[in-house]
Amino acid sequence: MKKKIYLIAITMLLTVAGFNSNAATLDDKVNGGVNKEAIANMTEEQKEARIEEIKLRVAEIKEMDKSQMTKQERKDVKNELKSLKSEAQAMGGGGIYLSVGAIIIIILVLILIL
């Protein structure tokens, strides 16, 4: 009985460690040129309109003929795409990311409990 409780305690600690070690840490105010306060103050209609603008710009960039661009122009387009992606992610909300180790530990805990 003591061994089972000991195993459950260890798996719980490992689960907590697994979640904490893979947590994404982002700057609260500005991330890649995205002002989170401005996004938080937007209405849903404004957010949807901005997301549509981002989609249109990404479609324009995909249709560009990049073979005629200089190295600096391609770099600028790449940086613009990165900033658009980070802005779209900031508007869309977050998510939960689990590592493979955390999933395995969760499965082990469920097996021990059931």
Side-chain angles (χ1 to χ4, degrees), residues 8-56:
I8 291 173
I10 288 176
T11 54
M12 291 301 205
L13 287 173
L14 290 174
T15 303
V16 170
F19 283 121
N20 288 337
S21 65
N22 292 323
T25 55
L26 299 174
D27 189 8
D28 289 337
K29 293 191 178 189
V30 178
N31 179 24
V34 177
N35 189 346
K36 290 192 175 190
E37 285 183 14
I39 292 173
N41 293 332
M42 291 176 135
T43 64
E44 287 301 317
E45 293 83 23
Q46 290 173 332
K47 287 181 184 179
E48 290 175 16
R50 181 62 186 146
I51 288 173
E52 286 301 317
E53 290 174 7
I54 291 171
K55 286 180 182 179
L56 288 173

Side-chain angles (χ1 to χ4, degrees), residues 1-2 8 13 20 41 44 53 58 70 72 97 100 105-106 112-114:
M1 183 71 175
K2 280 187 176 181
I8 291 173
L13 287 173
N20 288 337
N41 293 332
E44 287 301 317
E53 290 174 7
V58 170
T70 64
Q72 183 60 40
Y97 299 97
V100 175
I105 291 170
I106 290 169
L112 286 173
I113 292 173
L114 301 174

Side-chain angles (χ1 to χ4, degrees), residues 89-100:
Q89 286 176 340
M91 283 188 206
I96 298 174
Y97 299 97
L98 297 176
S99 68
V100 175

